[in-house]
Amino acid sequence: MTTARPRIVFLGCPLDSDEQHEAFLEKKQGRLPPGFGDDPYEAVMSLISREIPEPLWESMGSLPVPDWLRPMPSLASTAQVTPEAMVRFIDGDGCRRFAESLQEVVAAEILPNIPCLIGVDHSLTGGVYNALVERFGADRLSLVVIDSHTDAIPTGVLAGAVGYDMDTNPHSRYDPADPLLYNRTDAYHASSFVHHLLAEKRVAPRNLYLVGVGDHPDKKTARIKDDRMARYVAAFSRLQRSGVGVVTKKDLTLQPSKFYRLMQRIDTPYVYISIDMDIGAGNALEGVRFRNRRGISEKQIYRLGDALCQCLENGIALAGMDVCEFNPRRAGGSDQTYRIAANLIAQIAFGRGRKPPARGA
């Protein structure tokens, strides 16, 4: 008797817990690219459904999200969409509650098949990943996070670095008069979820790989004589000393073989792959929430996918994956964010990545 091959099961969640001023302005303006909605799941799945044979996958649709927490709230919810309300949601562990809901859905309705999340807020990754930890165990599951931001630094440490930037940088993007920058909790959210997975021992440091990070302190930063920056530098040092594999954005450009070598280090039976689409922000694509760090090219992105395919070809099983951090108010139209995300899914989940579809297809 043969065992049926696990299928890829797609699910979405358009949670957009973004307290950036720019995000609120975009939501108030109420504009989406013509022909596109505010759920990236629909846009990416329209491409997948045309290009991948349906017997290989299944669609579960998107989890419901309150209107005011979506990328484009309706006019009736506009009064609820305030920075203060978003901060209350985030600091009150609202992101964790959504992640836990996803975990329950994956455990009850997807496993033993392979979940593939198409979401907005990157903190949702923790829910899908935790369902797989419960199934396989943390010692048998590696986590590869491809992201321009580390997401593994405590909120208080990040806040200190922001404070230093405001105090010393005349061109700082932060406003010292913004009360939303102060007295924040160490909640679980898009910029800290990996930190929480480590602290809660859901992922072993030696099984965690952070790829493409652009916020890694350089030698100049390490020499700054300020306690806030010293804590920031020390947080990164602790990550690497503990065994976390780190490949910076600079490494991807100057030493691309470093990523291939790092992927060869994976020795767990299973791997979860999480892709924050801001890895290509301002270069390959524009339709992402955080564009403060310029990302890598489309060609470089597919090279990452190629290295991940080699990892899977070497006997590591794909336990699950996601593509996250879309900004539907900017994605679509001439922007390539949805197209590249669909290509990456085809490349990694279905082994079709060596020749991604042509741009604009």
Side-chain angles (χ1 to χ4, degrees):
M1 179 177 172
T2 60
T3 303
R5 181 182 182 276
R7 291 201 296 174
I8 304 296
V9 180
F10 292 99
L11 74 163
C13 185
L15 172 68
D16 185 20
S17 56
D18 188 347
E19 76 267 49
Q20 295 179 100
H21 180 64
E22 180 183 42
F24 286 97
L25 290 179
E26 290 179 359
K27 291 180 181 183
K28 297 289 186 182
Q29 289 169 354
R31 287 197 294 268
L32 290 166
F36 290 86
D38 77 337
D39 188 348
Y41 182 83
E42 297 170 359
V44 176
M45 286 306 300
S46 71
L47 298 169
I48 294 293
S49 62
R50 294 201 303 263
E51 298 164 0
I52 305 297
E54 194 166 343
L56 299 178
W57 57 270
E58 178 182 341
S59 173
M60 283 195 61
S62 285
L63 270 67
V65 173
D67 188 66
W68 75 278
L69 285 168
R70 293 180 66 98
M72 186 55 69
S74 67
L75 185 62
S77 297
T78 301
Q80 293 176 266
V81 183
T82 67
E84 293 79 10
M86 195 64 72
V87 168
R88 283 196 298 272
F89 172 82
I90 295 171
D91 288 1
D93 246 3
C95 294
R96 184 187 291 274
R97 290 193 293 274
F98 266 89
E100 289 172 346
S101 295
L102 267 179
Q103 179 178 347
E104 293 172 3
V105 170
V106 171
E109 302 182 39
I110 294 181
L111 298 180
N113 287 308
I114 302 169
C116 181
L117 171 68
I118 302 168
V120 177
D121 198 288
H122 203 179
S123 66
L124 297 167
T125 293
V128 184
Y129 173 79
N130 271 327
L132 294 165
V133 170
E134 291 298 317
R135 177 172 177 80
F136 298 119
D139 59 333
R140 291 167 53 79
L141 179 63
S142 290
L143 173 60
V144 178
V145 183
I146 298 175
D147 194 339
S148 288
H149 305 87
T150 304
D151 297 346
I153 306 300
T155 300
V157 175
L158 283 174
V162 168
Y164 175 83
D165 186 71
M166 290 190 296
D167 290 346
T168 62
N169 180 7
H171 305 292
S172 177
R173 60 189 293 266
Y174 305 104
D175 180 1
D178 184 355
L180 302 179
L181 292 174
Y182 305 98
N183 303 314
R184 301 296 298 273
T185 67
D186 190 22
Y188 173 103
H189 51 73
S191 297
S192 69
F193 77 97
V194 178
H195 159 66
H196 284 272
L197 291 176
L198 282 166
E200 295 159 17
K201 302 189 185 307
R202 305 301 288 177
V203 59
R206 62 182 177 81
N207 294 336
L208 174 62
Y209 303 86
L210 306 177
V211 179
V213 296
D215 52 3
H216 192 282
D218 55 19
K219 292 180 180 179
K220 181 179 177 181
T221 303
R223 291 195 295 268
I224 294 174
K225 303 299 183 183
D226 184 284
D227 287 345
R228 294 167 294 183
M229 295 309 294
R231 288 194 292 273
Y232 184 70
V233 172
F236 278 92
S237 296
R238 281 194 298 273
L239 282 175
Q240 292 181 265
R241 286 200 307 271
S242 70
V244 174
V246 178
V247 175
T248 67
K249 177 198 162 189
K250 185 176 180 180
D251 291 333
L252 294 180
T253 301
L254 300 180
Q255 305 177 63
S257 61
K258 185 174 181 179
F259 176 60
Y260 283 82
R261 292 196 301 271
L262 189 65
M263 292 300 92
Q264 292 171 2
R265 198 182 88 180
I266 295 176
D267 60 1
T268 56
Y270 302 95
V271 64
Y272 184 96
I273 298 168
S274 176
I275 302 173
D276 184 327
M277 294 303 296
D278 75 13
I279 192 67
N283 192 345
L285 49 88
E286 294 289 344
V288 289
R289 294 204 301 174
F290 297 99
R291 296 177 297 121
N292 60 321
R293 296 187 180 277
R294 184 173 175 81
I296 60 178
S297 70
E298 185 173 2
K299 185 177 181 179
Q300 287 175 306
I301 290 172
Y302 294 138
R303 283 177 181 166
L304 297 183
D306 187 62
L308 292 166
C309 286
Q310 289 187 24
C311 174
L312 298 174
E313 290 167 1
N314 289 335
I316 308 299
L318 180 67
M321 71 174 290
D322 65 65
V323 284
C324 287
E325 288 297 329
F326 297 91
N327 178 351
R329 302 177 299 274
R330 291 180 175 271
S334 61
D335 173 71
Q336 293 293 307
T337 307
Y338 294 140
R339 174 72 273 172
I340 293 172
N343 289 351
L344 284 168
I345 292 170
Q347 186 176 20
I348 296 166
F350 297 101
R352 299 187 170 200
R354 306 299 172 90
K355 296 179 180 179
R359 288 175 64 90

